Amino acid sequence: MTRVLTPDICVIGAGSGGLSVAAAAAAFGVEVVLIEKGKMGGDCLNYGCVPSKALIASAKAAHHAAHSMSLGVSVPSVDVDFQAVHDHVHGVIGAIAPHDSVERFEGLGVEVVQEVARFVDHRTVRAGDTDVRARRFVVATGSSPAVPPIPGLDTVPFLTNETVFGLTECPQHLIVVGGGPIGLELAQAYKRLGARVTVVEAQTALAKESPDLAAIVLARLRDEGLEILEETRVAEVSGEVDAIRVAVEDGDGRREIAGTHLLVAAGRKPNLEGLGLEEAGIAHTRAGITVGADLRTSNKKVYAIGDIAGGLQFTHVAGYHAGIVIRAILFRLPARENRAIIPWVTFTDPEIGHVGLTEAEARTEHGHHTVRILDAPFSGNDRAQAERRTEGLVRLIVGKRGRVVGADVVGPSAGEIVNLLSLVVSKGLSVRDLAGFVSPYPSLSEAVRRAAISYYADSAKNPWVRRVVRLLAAFG
């Protein structure tokens, strides 16, 4: 017998965005059905942000111990217990998992259905022996690792972010296909934990970042011993367990790289398969479900959020989307997505982050000669000097009337500094606002204020300003 549920909201996908919608709606006493075919917490908890940052923390500890002489501390030897690293990663997942569990959400009043969900018509989703006919649906099925059509890849064992955290021994030589954030974060972590690492990127590594800032990160990674091959295409893969051969081609011709493990980190694809989008009249492309700025699909009963919505693929975007649809569904407020305020951070060491318009976008939108670029290198920051971490800088992209329209940070704790700059960009604050706030000394974030103050550097040389100062001084 098929049971029929008629909740106010049906959420498909128990990742970050779906869980946020379900929890918020339940808090207001709204009837919610949450459908998830896999693990609660989705990619972020089980295969993405959480395990990768736990692994990076272990790698950073090993690196700092081995390179502490600049601070007057000598560590005789650094031994990495990779099984213990594995246990740390999964211990962190285990510590967070109860917050995302079936039991917690059932305790909140959410009905959780652990089945595959599929639309069977414009207003019905089928999950196992349950039909759900809700007032509104929210599709939050996320994304999965994209596997490129490389000849031979289907014949060899390879890792993705969904399987790499299962390793209990450090690879001898890890070959990483993809020089984006995921590939480089994991590449540096495994290098610091004892692996030899080669990264193969078909185009430019960290391509979405400002080239001069990305170069700072890439130089550091290469200094640590990573081999990063850019403008290099993977032509073919062959081999077996612990004996992988990757044929690559670049401007100098073709050659072969031998390694023990292969990690494919070549981007992500939205989880569209099996959702029955055609039956529901939901328009979509290979990039994801087509949505408006209000995140509504072509079926007005259905919203799509997070990676599946075809935009920036970050956990914090899914959370941001969740807030938009909650305001729209529960309170009928005209909430709309603003992608211009979305920050991102790549958690290499040094970290690199961005928010708002890029320099090129700002010059196009505000006029080439209107935009000013204000840099504050960490070499001029006392906290960075004290910690011997002076690589990188804070960059403010300033438009008309001194408004900060974008920002970049590369260096220590860049992700934390981007937090401040995200607020600045989202609220339309100006360099005057930043120059006027008090930053605790010594702190890395002080570089933000230093960059803002530099906007007024030319004022001290302006002859009219100097005359005004002298005139005012004459009055005593």
Side-chain angles (χ1 to χ4, degrees):
M1 293 289 292
T2 299
R3 65 169 180 160
V4 178
L5 301 177
T6 56
D8 194 66
I9 300 174
C10 174
V11 180
I12 304 172
S16 176
L19 292 178
S20 296
V21 171
F28 285 101
V30 173
E31 188 177 358
V32 182
V33 170
L34 173 64
I35 307 174
E36 172 55 62
K37 66 179 181 180
K39 293 183 178 181
M40 296 286 285
D43 187 83
C44 179
L45 173 62
N46 298 289
Y47 315 114
C49 314
V50 171
S52 67
K53 301 314 168 281
L55 185 78
I56 288 170
S58 293
K60 189 174 290 186
H63 179 78
H64 286 179
H67 297 82
S68 56
M69 274 303 297
S70 64
L71 299 177
V73 178
S74 177
V75 179
S77 66
V78 178
D79 298 317
V80 175
D81 181 341
F82 202 84
Q83 176 66 58
V85 172
H86 169 275
D87 294 345
H88 160 65
V89 169
H90 289 271
V92 172
I93 295 172
I96 298 172
H99 186 266
D100 295 348
S101 66
V102 172
E103 292 76 16
R104 174 173 179 262
F105 276 81
E106 288 180 339
L108 294 175
V110 176
E111 176 146 359
V112 181
V113 179
Q114 295 181 282
E115 295 282 357
V116 174
R118 178 183 178 85
F119 283 95
V120 293
D121 58 40
H122 280 64
R123 58 186 296 270
T124 308
V125 164
R126 183 161 294 157
D129 62 356
T130 301
D131 279 359
V132 183
R133 294 174 184 151
R135 180 174 70 87
R136 294 288 183 267
F137 294 89
V138 178
V139 181
T141 51
S143 62
S144 300
V147 179
I150 299 172
L153 187 59
D154 58 344
T155 68
V156 301
F158 66 89
L159 302 162
T160 68
N161 74 293
E162 291 186 348
T163 56
V164 70
F165 300 110
L167 293 177
T168 56
E169 294 183 0
C170 187
Q172 292 182 26
H173 183 188
L174 177 65
I175 302 172
V176 181
V177 177
I182 295 174
L184 290 182
E185 285 180 4
L186 293 177
Q188 184 181 36
Y190 279 102
K191 181 67 180 69
R192 288 179 164 188
L193 292 169
R196 178 186 170 193
V197 180
T198 300
V199 178
V200 184
E201 169 54 49
Q203 299 179 21
T204 303
L206 294 178
K208 72 178 181 179
E209 308 294 350
S210 297
D212 60 327
L213 304 189
I216 295 172
V217 176
L218 297 175
R220 172 69 176 274
L221 299 184
R222 289 182 169 117
D223 285 346
E224 291 188 13
L226 274 78
E227 184 181 19
I228 303 174
L229 308 176
E230 299 180 88
E231 304 291 341
T232 302
R233 185 179 72 88
V234 177
E236 186 179 4
V237 175
S238 60
E240 55 192 21
V241 175
D242 294 331
I244 302 295
R245 295 183 299 276
V246 178
V248 301
E249 294 179 347
D250 58 17
D252 297 324
R254 180 171 173 140
R255 62 191 176 95
E256 189 172 271
I257 303 170
T260 58
H261 294 73
L262 177 64
L263 171 63
V264 176
R268 300 185 64 78
K269 62 176 182 178
N271 293 327
L272 298 165
E273 295 80 7
L275 284 174
L277 300 179
E278 290 80 6
E279 287 84 346
I282 299 173
H284 61 283
T285 67
R286 292 177 59 187
I289 293 176
T290 304
V291 297
D294 59 356
L295 302 175
R296 218 164 191 172
T297 73
S298 53
N299 179 338
K300 298 308 178 184
K301 296 179 72 67
V302 182
Y303 292 80
I305 66 173
D307 291 6
I308 197 70
L312 296 171
Q313 296 177 330
F314 301 113
T315 296
H316 51 277
V317 172
Y320 170 57
H321 284 177
I324 291 173
V325 300
I326 281 293
R327 290 195 293 275
I329 294 174
L330 298 191
F331 302 106
R332 311 295 176 95
L333 295 174
R336 302 174 71 82
E337 178 189 30
N338 179 7
R339 294 187 181 181
I341 66 171
I342 300 298
W344 67 69
V345 179
T346 298
F347 292 93
T348 47
D349 184 11
E351 297 174 358
I352 182 168
H354 171 83
V355 64
L357 301 178
T358 65
E359 180 180 348
E361 291 169 341
R363 293 193 187 283
T364 298
E365 184 172 325
H366 295 275
H368 184 84
H369 298 292
T370 301
V371 173
R372 290 183 59 182
I373 305 300
L374 309 177
D375 287 352
F378 282 113
S379 59
N381 180 273
D382 293 356
R383 177 69 177 272
Q385 286 287 357
E387 297 181 357
R388 301 295 189 193
R389 294 296 312 276
T390 57
E391 75 274 60
L393 53 88
V394 170
R395 171 171 294 167
L396 303 181
I397 303 168
V398 182
K400 297 175 182 177
R401 294 182 292 279
R403 187 167 70 89
V404 180
V405 297
D408 295 285
V409 186
V410 58
S413 300
E416 300 302 322
I417 298 171
V418 168
N419 270 318
L420 168 62
L421 294 169
S422 294
L423 178 64
V424 170
V425 170
S426 67
K427 296 301 181 182
L429 301 184
S430 69
V431 289
R432 180 178 181 181
D433 297 312
L434 286 175
F437 93 105
V438 179
S439 177
Y441 174 88
S443 66
L444 295 170
S445 295
E446 194 179 13
V448 173
R449 184 170 179 270
R450 182 181 289 269
I453 290 174
S454 71
Y455 183 81
Y456 302 101
D458 291 341
S459 297
K461 302 174 185 178
N462 187 309
W464 289 102
V465 174
R466 296 171 74 91
R467 289 171 187 168
V468 169
V469 170
R470 286 197 300 269
L471 177 63
L472 293 174
F475 287 97

